[in-house]
Amino acid sequence: METSTEGATRPDISPAGPGEAADTVVVTGPPAAPPTSLSPSRASDFMQCPLLYRFRVIDRLPEKPSEAATRGTLVHAVLERLFDAPAGDRTVPRAKSLIPGQWDRLRESRPEVAELFADDPEGERLARWLTEAEALVERWFSLEDPSRLEPAERELFVEAELDTGLRLRGIIDRVDVAPTGEVRIVDYKTGKAPRPEYAEGALFQMKFYALVVWRLKKVVPRRLQLVYLGSGDVLTYDPVLADLERVERKLLALWEAIRRATETGDWRPRPTKLCGWCDHQAHCPEFGGTPPPYPLPLRAPESGGAEQGRMGPD
């Protein structure tokens, strides 16, 4: 799972304005600014729907937490913390015992997640939700043996700047390094594995990370591994340099499309079945909504430009 900070809203305390009491402060978000980096999540957003990218990165519209995403964050935290224990103590009971404490930490760091169970006074839904998290953690032990793993890195933030100036960034769940120096990048997914025809899309994030590692360390990772706790599947891919070069070309084309959209304000919605899950229907023209006023300077669009978010072949 990738946790991206792009477009995150950070409160800013401003002085009182005209007509406000002297001891009043106004809490606002940061001023809008053009994007300066790309993560796997935001790249996927733009490819899915350019307007969604705008809402998340430019407008920074708030989104409600979901039970599924929050459960994924909790499970990731448990699997990360389990490796603090000696190898022999990395057991199912030990992992399950970490869940309550990590849930408390998550609520402290992100108070908004408590809203998920605000209408659950008896705690029945919360109990089921925590039981589902336990089941995902337990399933992991049938896919990997943590007593035989010593990760080189956990929740590793990586960032690399390409020759064009584009900065790529993200957080890798786990990096394993063999005694021979071979690198394996591992990502945990709490959902189910995709059907084979959609596997390439699932691997995009991993190839993105492999590209960043290659740019940083001059080493092509030996293996990319997706661990699907929802279905009990493990998807692996062994990249070669040509794979990473193709991904880099794709990202550069994508970034050029983002640059054009940023300058022209031409962020077009792209309706798909995923629209039903979107938090921003009230602002989307496809649902009769109106986007907020565009907060960045505009320039006239170039004639004959390509449709925003479309890219040529890799």
Side-chain angles (χ1 to χ4, degrees):
M1 184 184 73
E2 185 221 348
T3 305
S4 175
T5 57
E6 290 177 85
T9 302
R10 295 176 175 82
D12 175 55
I13 305 299
S14 304
E20 295 174 332
D23 58 350
T24 299
V25 295
V26 180
V27 180
T28 63
T36 59
S37 63
L38 197 59
S39 71
S41 292
R42 298 295 79 83
S44 295
D45 284 346
F46 191 83
M47 289 187 289
Q48 174 188 326
C49 175
L51 186 59
L52 174 64
Y53 177 97
R54 177 201 149 169
F55 287 158
R56 285 178 166 169
V57 178
I58 305 296
D59 300 295
R60 306 183 183 190
L61 298 181
E63 297 182 351
K64 296 179 181 178
S66 71
E67 289 189 17
T70 304
R71 183 169 51 241
T73 301
L74 174 61
V75 170
H76 276 73
V78 169
L79 299 189
E80 179 193 4
R81 292 272 67 86
L82 183 64
F83 285 105
D84 290 341
D89 293 339
R90 298 170 194 163
T91 62
V92 171
R94 175 67 173 255
K96 288 183 177 181
S97 73
L98 295 174
I99 291 177
Q102 292 304 313
W103 173 230
D104 289 340
R105 289 185 59 185
L106 182 57
R107 286 185 297 175
E108 290 173 5
S109 62
R110 294 176 52 192
E112 69 273 14
V113 302
E115 299 173 8
L116 290 170
F117 304 102
D119 60 348
D120 182 34
E122 302 299 323
E124 295 179 357
R125 277 202 305 114
L126 174 59
R128 287 196 300 270
W129 183 81
L130 291 172
T131 298
E132 291 166 356
E134 287 185 353
L136 293 172
V137 168
E138 183 170 1
R139 181 170 289 150
W140 177 57
F141 284 80
S142 69
L143 304 174
E144 296 189 290
D145 182 355
S147 68
R148 303 181 64 180
L149 296 170
E150 291 298 339
E153 301 286 353
R154 291 173 275 155
E155 294 294 315
L156 175 66
F157 174 79
V158 291
E159 183 177 52
E161 185 171 319
L162 303 183
D163 295 339
T164 61
L166 170 59
R167 285 190 294 126
L168 305 178
R169 61 195 309 179
I171 299 176
I172 301 175
D173 287 347
R174 198 179 85 218
V175 178
D176 301 330
V177 180
T180 55
E182 295 175 314
V183 174
R184 177 172 63 183
I185 296 175
V186 180
D187 194 76
Y188 308 120
K189 300 295 185 185
T190 49
K192 297 181 179 180
R195 296 199 298 267
E197 59 266 33
Y198 297 114
E200 184 59 32
L203 283 170
F204 170 75
Q205 174 185 356
M206 304 302 285
K207 292 180 181 180
F208 184 109
Y209 291 146
L211 170 61
V212 175
V213 170
W214 172 52
R215 283 298 188 182
L216 286 174
K217 303 294 185 181
K218 307 303 180 186
V219 173
V220 176
R222 176 67 179 83
R223 174 154 293 183
L224 310 177
Q225 181 166 303
L226 285 158
V227 181
Y228 287 95
L229 305 178
S231 57
D233 296 299
V234 177
L235 176 63
T236 63
Y237 183 80
D238 296 342
V240 296
L241 182 56
D243 290 322
L244 309 188
E245 291 173 337
R246 281 193 294 271
V247 170
E248 182 168 321
R249 291 194 297 271
K250 181 174 184 176
L251 291 173
L252 290 174
L254 178 64
W255 188 246
E256 176 60 21
I258 291 173
R259 184 193 64 79
R260 290 196 304 269
T262 302
E263 293 179 352
T264 63
D266 184 10
W267 302 93
R268 303 180 187 180
R270 184 175 300 146
T272 68
K273 294 179 180 179
L274 296 175
C275 291
W277 300 92
C278 184
D279 280 345
H280 307 302
Q281 293 181 8
H283 297 286
C284 180
E286 293 293 325
F287 291 87
T290 302
Y294 192 57
L296 298 176
L298 297 177
R299 69 166 175 79
E302 299 173 1
S303 61
E307 181 181 349
Q308 299 302 325
R310 299 289 184 184
M311 293 180 295
D314 293 349

